[in-house]
Amino acid sequence: MLEDDERADRYLELTGLDPDSLRKGLGDPTVLASALDFLANYEPDLLRAAEALAVTPEEMIAARKELTG
């Protein structure tokens, strides 16, 4: 998700996170869910991320649901 500067900037702007808080929050389910929500809202990003992670988009959506309860 952060490979593309424009996408990374959009994510940080939408979430209010900065790079340091994002790094610190990588183990926080809320931060992880926000990243998955961001990807889920734009299918091309979701598909690229799923491919990069060698998972299916459905697995990413399931992980998002698991994180958010």
Side-chain angles (χ1 to χ4, degrees):
M1 177 173 80
L2 299 177
E3 287 179 355
D4 178 278
D5 288 339
E6 187 177 314
R7 185 174 45 239
D9 289 343
R10 192 172 73 238
Y11 171 71
L12 294 174
E13 184 178 319
L14 288 171
T15 61
L17 294 169
D18 60 44
D20 288 334
S21 59
L22 177 59
R23 277 194 268 314
K24 290 176 186 172
L26 289 177
D28 181 340
T30 303
V31 173
L32 296 174
S34 76
L36 292 171
D37 282 339
F38 176 80
L39 293 170
N41 284 315
Y42 187 62
E43 186 176 14
D45 287 346
L46 178 65
L47 296 175
R48 278 191 288 266
E51 183 178 330
L53 295 169
V55 299
T56 67
E58 294 80 13
E59 288 173 302
M60 293 185 71
I61 298 301
R64 179 178 139 276
K65 288 179 182 176
E66 190 172 316
L67 286 168
T68 60

